[in-house]
Amino acid sequence: VQPQPPAARKVPVERRHHGDVFVDDYEWLRAKEDPAVVAHLEAENAYTDAVTAGQQPLREAIFNEIRNRTQETDLSVPVRKDGWWYYSRMEEGRQYAIHCRVRARDTGDVAADWTPPQVEPGSEVPGEQVLLDGNAEAEGRPFFALGGTAVSKDGHLFAYAVDNTGDERFTLRVKDLRTGRLLPDVVENIFYSVAFSPDGSRVFYTVVDETWPPFQVKSHALGTLVQGDAVIHQEDDPAMWAEFDLSADRSHLVVSISCSEYSETRLLDFADPDAGLRTLVPRSERILYDAEPVRLLDRQMVLLTHNREAGNSMVSLAALDEFAKPLAGQQWATVVPHDDAVRVNGAGVTATHMVLSVRKDTIERIQVLPLAGLGTAAQAGPVEPDFPEQLYTASAGGSDYAAPVVRLGYTSFFTPPRVSDYEPATGRLWLRKETPVLGGYDPADYAATREWATAQDGTRIPLSVLRRAPVRPDGTNPALIYAYGSYVHSMDPYFSTARLALLDRGVVMVIAHVRGGGEMGRRWYEDGKKLRKKNTFTDFVDATDWLVASGWADPARFAAMGGSAGGLLMGAVANLAPAKYAAIVAQVPFVDALTSILDPELPLSALEWEEWGNPIEDPEVYAYMKSYTPYENIRPVPYPRIAAVTSFNDTRVLYVEPAKWVARLREVTTGAAPVVLKTEMDAGHGGASGRYEAWKDAAWDYAFVLDALGAAQLPEV
């Protein structure tokens, strides 16, 4: 007997905008506290379990493959901050990281003092101090996620934020590392950012409003009542996102207020906190920029990464005093000029060097140049560490301001993450660690190549094609195509142990770098947003067609996957080209986008206007969005197998969107392929917490795909 899906009752609700009436039968599922809604989601989970029960052995096999390739007792490369080396370690059989530190040495031998201690997995570390054991924190809790953390400059205090529901609202606590005891200070409902003032007397944090964006930056004086915490900045524009960081030299609090199209930075000088925040370029100038305070030749300067007359952004240097003048009269010296072929992502500093992140030919690269002479004729040229692969991702982060080396991360589709220290003085790259992959893994068994599909309008779409090395484009291969394509976010090369489970079964995995992402620069993003959003969807379908025509994929064994805004993409292509895919997996999918964005009271809605347009005010935007949003465009055609995977406590894409979408798909489809909804009842936007739960989630998604593609079996060796 075939399992029968739960029937969602119909309660018609009319949505009226700009003379258009849309009747929504399933809006009642939004009532999260209604026992009938919870019962419906649980019935959906039971149906999903029944429909996919035959995939359980495959899920277990994939989970075990991930586990067998993972060195479960492992640790991160220590990072030096002030007088300590900080690192985290994992232990076999445990879900969460343990965060630790050991004292650093200052012997006068720079090379020795900045070489991380050699810590062997599973062995005792002399002098180790545990800051936080995530396993102990998670004990007896349905969910655990660690948000922001900070250590005071003197090393005495540790501030950390914990989420126990998955809604990304954290509780801040402060631990005295000298005694191991918690201070009485507890701040509820904060967001991610956490930092100490240089003297350690105050903790800065952000607060989210009812619609979820962070809108306040606050300061808590330790030992005082939370109700008296000072508001450093309050953002009253619901379409802007407020956050903060410390400058690299910890001289300033840097408050950033931004949307996807323009921003504003305000500085608090810790040497003169009573002066309050100082605005650099006001948002009224409509410039998108980041600012890093830096002292050069005993003068306070600001390093700006900005798009002022620079679509792909550039880097400039200006004295802090310049920002008191009108923008047109300010003197900005060019550090990195604009280049149509190179996207400048950002610039940071150490005490001696500028570290630049750029994107060229889709690839994220790191460049380093001395601060001495910056912005003058004496400026030295950038130096880029050399990496051997064509497709890779290089990133910088974690370096102490005073460090003589720059901490770099490196990964590719088949190179596990490496951590290195780059020494600008010599150009030497010190490999500190490559993440081990067990089970006889050999990167030479696999291949990753850059291919190019052609869109209907002639645009060339970059594709990353991943496979086992012997696989050839002979038209017989099962294939999975994945994409995101929104918010200028790029799908950069990264290593995935879980992905090997697909490739080992002969699947060709393709990442389509469609418009709306950031892989090809700012224009690539702008060609896939607002009134050009449909390019994202047609690029994906055109990439699918190219992969079939080129022989990489068997047209009868092709699946698609995407998450969040990539889940919206999945819903759109399901409507556009349902016959092209044997299965679609939509992870936390934004499939009812128009309903959400039309309600400014819902989480993030106002922020979305810069990405999709404002359908409340603009009838053209409303009509355009309604012509592609997945929920409104379900039509009577045979849809493929579809799995919508969501989380009950997700605050970014509410569970109601996939719940409504699935109910409507089942009602309208003319086919017999199952449409299932899987809801994690104790999870957030990133799924369930804990590494084993994450592996189970990946195994579930991949088993659903492999089953649909007839590729469940590992080939005989």
Side-chain angles (χ1 to χ4, degrees), residues 484-490 515-518 525 528 533 536 565-566 611-612:
Y484 185 74
S486 291
Y487 303 106
V488 78
H489 184 68
S490 299
R515 281 175 282 186
Y525 164 56
K533 187 65 208 169
T536 304
E611 181 74 18
W612 315 93

Side-chain angles (χ1 to χ4, degrees), residues 22-82:
F22 176 71
V23 178
D24 190 341
D25 290 327
Y26 302 111
E27 180 62 13
W28 66 272
L29 286 165
R30 191 174 301 279
K32 187 177 181 182
E33 307 302 323
D34 185 346
V37 170
V38 175
H40 177 77
L41 296 177
E42 289 173 341
E44 287 279 15
N45 280 345
Y47 172 67
T48 298
D49 288 345
V51 167
T52 64
Q55 297 165 23
Q56 181 59 26
L58 179 55
R59 291 196 287 263
E60 290 177 3
I62 295 170
F63 177 89
N64 287 329
E65 288 164 32
I66 298 170
R67 188 166 190 170
N68 291 339
R69 283 182 164 128
T70 302
Q71 182 170 296
E72 293 192 57
T73 298
D74 202 4
L75 70 160
S76 65
V77 179
V79 173
R80 180 163 177 168
K81 290 285 186 185
D82 302 313

Side-chain angles (χ1 to χ4, degrees), residues 248 294 348-355 368 371 399-406 424:
V294 56
V349 296
T350 68
T352 57
H353 285 77
M354 183 180 87
V355 183
V368 181
L371 290 181
S399 305
D400 187 84
Y401 178 69
V405 293
V406 177

Side-chain angles (χ1 to χ4, degrees), residues 254-318:
V254 183
V255 177
S256 304
I257 307 117
S258 64
C259 65
S260 65
E261 299 195 338
Y262 54 89
S263 60
E264 178 177 284
T265 298
R266 302 183 183 187
L267 303 181
L268 179 70
D269 187 347
F270 288 129
D272 186 15
D274 293 338
L277 292 176
R278 177 174 185 168
T279 300
L280 298 181
V281 180
R283 67 190 74 182
S284 57
E285 298 289 353
R286 293 300 192 260
I287 294 173
L288 189 63
Y289 71 101
D290 292 320
E292 178 66 48
V294 56
R295 285 198 78 80
L296 290 176
L297 300 176
D298 223 23
R299 191 178 184 195
Q300 186 61 55
M301 310 290 283
V302 179
L303 198 63
L304 297 156
T305 304
H306 64 91
N307 70 346
R308 183 187 180 192
E309 300 176 4
N312 263 345
S313 295
M314 60 184 290
V315 180
S316 299
L317 186 68

Side-chain angles (χ1 to χ4, degrees), residues 493-545:
Y494 71 97
F495 181 81
S496 165
T497 303
R499 189 197 293 131
L500 300 177
L502 292 175
L503 305 182
D504 287 347
R505 289 169 171 82
V507 174
V508 174
M509 172 85 180
V510 179
I511 298 168
H513 305 284
V514 295
R515 281 175 282 186
E519 289 90 341
M520 300 285 283
R522 181 75 185 186
R523 188 175 299 165
W524 193 254
Y525 164 56
E526 291 174 347
D527 277 348
K529 67 180 289 195
K530 289 190 174 178
L531 296 177
R532 293 195 286 273
K533 187 65 208 169
K534 289 182 186 178
N535 285 335
T536 304
F537 316 138
T538 55
D539 281 1
F540 190 89
V541 176
D542 291 341
T544 299
D545 290 342

Side-chain angles (χ1 to χ4, degrees), residues 94-96 133-144 162-165 682 689:
R94 306 187 82 180
Q95 293 264 33
Y96 301 100
D133 182 344
N135 302 285
E137 286 283 331
E139 190 81 35
R141 305 280 191 171
F143 183 92
F144 169 77
V162 168
D163 170 15
N164 286 128
T165 65
D682 295 308
S689 65

Side-chain angles (χ1 to χ4, degrees), residues 97-150:
I98 303 166
H99 302 269
C100 311
R101 70 178 184 178
V102 293
R103 281 206 175 272
R105 296 181 305 162
D106 284 305
T107 65
D109 181 341
V110 174
D113 292 347
W114 287 92
T115 297
Q118 292 297 306
V119 185
E120 292 301 320
S123 62
E124 294 241 345
V125 182
E128 178 181 85
Q129 184 176 17
V130 174
L131 308 181
L132 183 80
D133 182 344
N135 302 285
E137 286 283 331
E139 190 81 35
R141 305 280 191 171
F143 183 92
F144 169 77
L146 187 62
T149 62

